[in-house]
Amino acid sequence: MNVQFREQTVLVTGAAQGFGRAIALAFAELGANVYACDVLDDSLRETAELAEQAGTPIQVRRVDVTDQVAVQHLVDEAVLDTGRIDVLVNNAGGVLGQVGRPLEEVSAQDWRAIFGVNVDGAFLFAQAAAPHMKRQNSGRIINISSGAGIGVSLTGIQAYASAKAAQIGLTRQLAHELGEWGITVNNVAPGFVRSNPTTERQWQSYGEEGQQRLLNNIALKRLGTPQDIANAVLFFASEQAGWISGQVLSVDGGK
């Protein structure tokens, strides 16, 4: 399967590290005009430097995905520059440094913050991109959730599991709303991957016994990589996935 994205415009959120970085670099390597955003300035610059070194430069911008004005500005910039938006990858998310706590110790502010970056961000970017995709009668929206959204979270963070489940619901709803314009909306649900400082701390916290137990529960007996997640996104964005919408693909090594 020869997948190419030459002259396509691709927006990737949360591209400073981990999944988002791998996704942005993969699209750039396959010829796309990539606009990548995050709030982690130094790491985002590293993503841009890696793309430059590979000979596939990308545009990077500092954008808080919960800021509707900033989101709209990035989408408008991409359309002004290239005339279109072909693919939107809503990868920004995470636990924002929070750790698992008993329900009664979770503040409303912490609850809302996780929903903001994981759900509101996906909604705002889809809302901004959809009119352009409708005008084109084509488009791909791919949301990155988590195994936590279809099961339980290894972190024990209630808001994270709930937000990822909500994002999956948003995926299915938008698939039905936007389908008549040739826009597909799908979801990739990664298993545990050591992809950034947060997941690395989580991995170390399990200790040798806990790490082995986690591996034993994976059919392939190994952890995945950010590239494994990027590969799933590339498939959903490709022409070969043109009649697939509203779906959740678990990329977790088999559970």
Side-chain angles (χ1 to χ4, degrees):
M1 184 170 65
N2 183 24
V3 177
Q4 291 290 326
F5 297 95
R6 299 195 185 285
E7 305 308 318
Q8 292 194 27
T9 301
V10 178
L11 271 62
V12 182
T13 72
Q17 56 191 12
F19 301 155
R21 173 180 287 179
I23 292 165
L25 295 178
F27 273 111
E29 184 180 352
L30 293 172
N33 299 311
V34 177
Y35 289 75
C37 70
D38 209 304
V39 293
L40 302 175
D41 294 313
D42 292 343
S43 296
L44 190 59
R45 279 193 293 270
E46 289 176 10
T47 299
E49 290 168 2
L50 288 169
E52 191 73 36
Q53 291 166 13
T56 55
I58 65 177
Q59 300 293 323
V60 297
R61 301 289 185 268
R62 188 185 196 283
V63 174
D64 178 347
V65 298
T66 67
D67 182 339
Q68 187 172 20
V69 173
V71 167
Q72 189 67 56
H73 181 77
L74 177 59
V75 171
D76 290 345
E77 179 186 358
V79 173
L80 182 64
D81 290 348
T82 69
R84 58 189 301 111
I85 295 177
D86 297 283
V87 182
L88 167 64
V89 183
N90 286 310
N91 170 72
V95 300
L96 303 180
Q98 296 185 37
V99 297
R101 291 167 288 169
L103 178 64
E104 58 269 26
E105 296 179 13
V106 178
S107 71
Q109 182 179 2
D110 285 346
W111 172 269
R112 287 193 297 269
I114 286 181
F115 262 78
V117 70
N118 288 280
V119 185
D120 296 356
F123 171 78
L124 292 174
F125 261 99
Q127 187 180 54
H132 303 288
M133 291 182 173
K134 285 180 176 180
R135 174 174 50 81
Q136 300 160 189
N137 278 309
S138 66
R140 301 279 195 267
I141 299 175
I142 301 144
N143 298 321
I144 309 300
S145 62
S146 167
I150 52 180
V152 295
S153 175
L154 294 175
T155 67
I157 299 174
Q158 304 87 347
Y160 183 70
S162 302
K164 289 304 189 184
Q167 191 202 71
I168 290 171
L170 177 65
T171 298
R172 291 173 173 146
Q173 192 65 39
L174 292 183
H176 281 267
E177 178 178 342
L178 301 177
E180 65 180 285
W181 288 277
I183 302 166
T184 68
V185 189
N186 289 293
N187 198 291
V188 175
F192 183 79
V193 178
R194 296 165 67 183
S195 60
N196 55 42
T198 298
T199 52
E200 186 60 33
R201 286 192 297 271
Q202 187 179 345
W203 173 252
Q204 297 302 330
S205 73
Y206 294 149
E208 187 174 341
E209 185 176 326
Q211 292 168 5
Q212 190 57 54
R213 186 163 54 249
L214 189 153
L215 290 171
N216 288 342
N217 287 330
I218 298 174
L220 292 176
K221 308 304 180 190
R222 70 168 178 86
L223 297 181
T225 68
Q227 191 60 48
D228 289 320
I229 309 308
N231 290 341
V233 172
L234 293 175
F235 169 67
F236 273 144
S238 72
E239 291 183 5
Q240 286 82 357
W243 206 50
I244 301 173
S245 197
Q247 301 305 304
V248 181
L249 177 59
S250 293
V251 184
D252 57 12
K255 291 293 184 68

